[in-house]
PDB file of all heavy atoms in Angstrom:
ATOM      1  N   ALA A 391      -3.381  26.675  -0.412  1.00 96.00           N
ATOM      2  CA  ALA A 391      -4.064  27.967  -0.202  1.00 96.00           C
ATOM      3  C   ALA A 391      -4.592  28.060   1.206  1.00 96.00           C
ATOM      4  O   ALA A 391      -5.097  27.093   1.772  1.00 96.00           O
ATOM      5  CB  ALA A 391      -5.166  28.089  -1.205  1.00 96.00           C
ATOM      6  N   HIS A 392      -4.415  29.271   1.788  1.00 96.00           N
ATOM      7  CA  HIS A 392      -5.058  29.588   3.067  1.00 96.00           C
ATOM      8  C   HIS A 392      -6.224  30.543   2.759  1.00 96.00           C
ATOM      9  O   HIS A 392      -5.988  31.607   2.196  1.00 96.00           O
ATOM     10  CB  HIS A 392      -4.068  30.287   4.013  1.00 96.00           C
ATOM     11  CG  HIS A 392      -3.269  29.335   4.815  1.00 96.00           C
ATOM     12  ND1 HIS A 392      -2.298  29.722   5.700  1.00 96.00           N
ATOM     13  CD2 HIS A 392      -3.315  27.981   4.891  1.00 96.00           C
ATOM     14  CE1 HIS A 392      -1.755  28.634   6.247  1.00 96.00           C
ATOM     15  NE2 HIS A 392      -2.363  27.559   5.792  1.00 96.00           N
ATOM     16  N   VAL A 393      -7.442  30.130   3.128  1.00 97.00           N
ATOM     17  CA  VAL A 393      -8.562  31.024   2.949  1.00 97.00           C
ATOM     18  C   VAL A 393      -8.938  31.574   4.331  1.00 97.00           C
ATOM     19  O   VAL A 393      -9.174  30.796   5.287  1.00 97.00           O
ATOM     20  CB  VAL A 393      -9.775  30.267   2.333  1.00 97.00           C
ATOM     21  CG1 VAL A 393     -10.893  31.255   1.955  1.00 97.00           C
ATOM     22  CG2 VAL A 393      -9.357  29.465   1.110  1.00 97.00           C
ATOM     23  N   ARG A 394      -8.945  32.890   4.418  1.00 96.00           N
ATOM     24  CA  ARG A 394      -9.105  33.528   5.731  1.00 96.00           C
ATOM     25  C   ARG A 394     -10.474  34.071   5.954  1.00 96.00           C
ATOM     26  O   ARG A 394     -11.032  34.723   5.077  1.00 96.00           O
ATOM     27  CB  ARG A 394      -8.052  34.648   5.915  1.00 96.00           C
ATOM     28  CG  ARG A 394      -8.082  35.328   7.246  1.00 96.00           C
ATOM     29  CD  ARG A 394      -7.051  36.418   7.272  1.00 96.00           C
ATOM     30  NE  ARG A 394      -5.716  35.914   7.597  1.00 96.00           N
ATOM     31  CZ  ARG A 394      -5.296  35.571   8.783  1.00 96.00           C
ATOM     32  NH1 ARG A 394      -6.087  35.650   9.817  1.00 96.00           N
ATOM     33  NH2 ARG A 394      -4.093  35.144   9.000  1.00 96.00           N
ATOM     34  N   PHE A 395     -11.050  33.736   7.093  1.00 95.00           N
ATOM     35  CA  PHE A 395     -12.319  34.324   7.543  1.00 95.00           C
ATOM     36  C   PHE A 395     -12.117  34.861   8.924  1.00 95.00           C
ATOM     37  O   PHE A 395     -12.166  34.080   9.880  1.00 95.00           O
ATOM     38  CB  PHE A 395     -13.440  33.265   7.593  1.00 95.00           C
ATOM     39  CG  PHE A 395     -13.713  32.597   6.264  1.00 95.00           C
ATOM     40  CD1 PHE A 395     -12.961  31.495   5.849  1.00 95.00           C
ATOM     41  CD2 PHE A 395     -14.712  33.094   5.444  1.00 95.00           C
ATOM     42  CE1 PHE A 395     -13.218  30.915   4.615  1.00 95.00           C
ATOM     43  CE2 PHE A 395     -14.977  32.445   4.207  1.00 95.00           C
ATOM     44  CZ  PHE A 395     -14.225  31.366   3.812  1.00 95.00           C
ATOM     45  N   GLY A 396     -11.858  36.147   9.060  1.00 94.00           N
ATOM     46  CA  GLY A 396     -11.540  36.722  10.392  1.00 94.00           C
ATOM     47  C   GLY A 396     -10.353  35.969  10.960  1.00 94.00           C
ATOM     48  O   GLY A 396      -9.303  35.904  10.306  1.00 94.00           O
ATOM     49  N   ARG A 397     -10.527  35.380  12.110  1.00 93.00           N
ATOM     50  CA  ARG A 397      -9.347  34.683  12.734  1.00 93.00           C
ATOM     51  C   ARG A 397      -9.215  33.209  12.299  1.00 93.00           C
ATOM     52  O   ARG A 397      -8.239  32.572  12.547  1.00 93.00           O
ATOM     53  CB  ARG A 397      -9.535  34.725  14.270  1.00 93.00           C
ATOM     54  CG  ARG A 397      -9.321  36.146  14.801  1.00 93.00           C
ATOM     55  CD  ARG A 397      -9.536  36.202  16.291  1.00 93.00           C
ATOM     56  NE  ARG A 397      -8.573  35.337  17.018  1.00 93.00           N
ATOM     57  CZ  ARG A 397      -8.673  35.035  18.295  1.00 93.00           C
ATOM     58  NH1 ARG A 397      -9.683  35.516  18.999  1.00 93.00           N
ATOM     59  NH2 ARG A 397      -7.794  34.248  18.862  1.00 93.00           N
ATOM     60  N   GLU A 398     -10.268  32.750  11.602  1.00 95.00           N
ATOM     61  CA  GLU A 398     -10.216  31.335  11.158  1.00 95.00           C
ATOM     62  C   GLU A 398      -9.575  31.190   9.768  1.00 95.00           C
ATOM     63  O   GLU A 398      -9.870  31.958   8.857  1.00 95.00           O
ATOM     64  CB  GLU A 398     -11.633  30.733  11.134  1.00 95.00           C
ATOM     65  CG  GLU A 398     -11.606  29.245  10.845  1.00 95.00           C
ATOM     66  CD  GLU A 398     -12.986  28.606  10.796  1.00 95.00           C
ATOM     67  OE1 GLU A 398     -13.997  29.297  11.127  1.00 95.00           O
ATOM     68  OE2 GLU A 398     -13.097  27.428  10.418  1.00 95.00           O
ATOM     69  N   ILE A 399      -8.665  30.207   9.676  1.00 96.00           N
ATOM     70  CA  ILE A 399      -8.051  29.934   8.379  1.00 96.00           C
ATOM     71  C   ILE A 399      -8.435  28.511   7.970  1.00 96.00           C
ATOM     72  O   ILE A 399      -8.306  27.580   8.708  1.00 96.00           O
ATOM     73  CB  ILE A 399      -6.524  30.038   8.428  1.00 96.00           C
ATOM     74  CG1 ILE A 399      -6.125  31.506   8.636  1.00 96.00           C
ATOM     75  CG2 ILE A 399      -5.883  29.468   7.200  1.00 96.00           C
ATOM     76  CD1 ILE A 399      -4.636  31.698   8.816  1.00 96.00           C
ATOM     77  N   VAL A 400      -8.984  28.402   6.745  1.00 97.00           N
ATOM     78  CA  VAL A 400      -9.247  27.059   6.195  1.00 97.00           C
ATOM     79  C   VAL A 400      -8.168  26.737   5.223  1.00 97.00           C
ATOM     80  O   VAL A 400      -7.883  27.498   4.269  1.00 97.00           O
ATOM     81  CB  VAL A 400     -10.623  27.008   5.512  1.00 97.00           C
ATOM     82  CG1 VAL A 400     -10.909  25.637   4.938  1.00 97.00           C
ATOM     83  CG2 VAL A 400     -11.730  27.410   6.532  1.00 97.00           C
TER      84      VAL A 400
END
Side-chain angles (χ1 to χ4, degrees):
H392 274 178
V393 189
R394 181 180 279 282
F395 299 86
R397 291 177 59 191
E398 186 180 353
I399 290 177
V400 179

